Amino acid sequence: MPNDVLQIQVCYAQPDTQTLLALSVSRGATIEQAIRRSGVLERHPEINLAQHRVGIFGQLKPLDTPLQTGDRIEIYRPLKVDPKEARQRRVAKKRAEGSREGNKWQGRR
């Protein structure tokens, strides 16, 4: 019987807090089933499984992925800014300040 129960975690992080919930699920349970059973949706009503991406240990996974014991399900918040755009803004700011770091990509030292 003990082999039919998996020990997993569900986590959701916000800028100022994080929620990490440990729970037991039956073998064959999916990511979506574990998230719904964990109670994280009640604690954080802003989570929308149709919009938020999920994964296991940093690897994106679909909601119907079966779980293995020890898995940590992560619910990812949507990005506010495209990472490429954010980097371009930082470089532009450095260049405007006249820093060496900002100019090195333009061939100036």
Side-chain angles (χ1 to χ4, degrees):
M1 277 296 182
N3 291 337
D4 292 339
V5 177
L6 308 175
Q7 302 299 318
I8 60 132
Q9 294 178 326
V10 175
C11 71
Y12 178 66
Q14 295 178 299
D16 54 344
T17 61
Q18 73 174 18
T19 301
L20 182 60
L21 306 166
L23 69 144
S24 301
V25 295
S26 59
R27 185 168 300 285
T30 65
I31 290 175
E32 182 175 7
Q33 291 169 338
I35 289 171
R36 293 190 185 285
R37 185 161 180 250
S38 72
V40 72
L41 298 177
E42 289 76 22
R43 289 183 185 201
H44 301 282
E46 70 275 11
I47 297 174
N48 180 346
L49 291 180
Q51 294 177 344
H52 286 68
R53 291 182 166 194
V54 298
I56 296 176
F57 291 116
Q59 299 291 317
L60 290 177
K61 301 285 183 183
L63 288 170
D64 61 354
T65 301
L67 297 170
Q68 298 178 17
T69 196
D71 281 348
R72 182 183 68 220
I73 300 168
E74 300 163 344
I75 303 169
Y76 307 116
R77 291 178 287 123
L79 296 175
K80 292 185 178 187
V81 178
D82 176 37
K84 189 174 182 179
E85 184 179 325
R87 184 179 183 287
Q88 290 171 343
R89 287 181 188 173
R90 287 192 306 273
V91 169
K93 182 180 176 186
K94 292 274 188 188
R95 286 183 182 150
E97 294 170 352
S99 75
R100 181 175 177 202
E101 181 70 22
N103 290 322
K104 77 178 184 181
W105 300 111
Q106 293 181 331
R108 295 184 241 157
R109 299 256 173 198

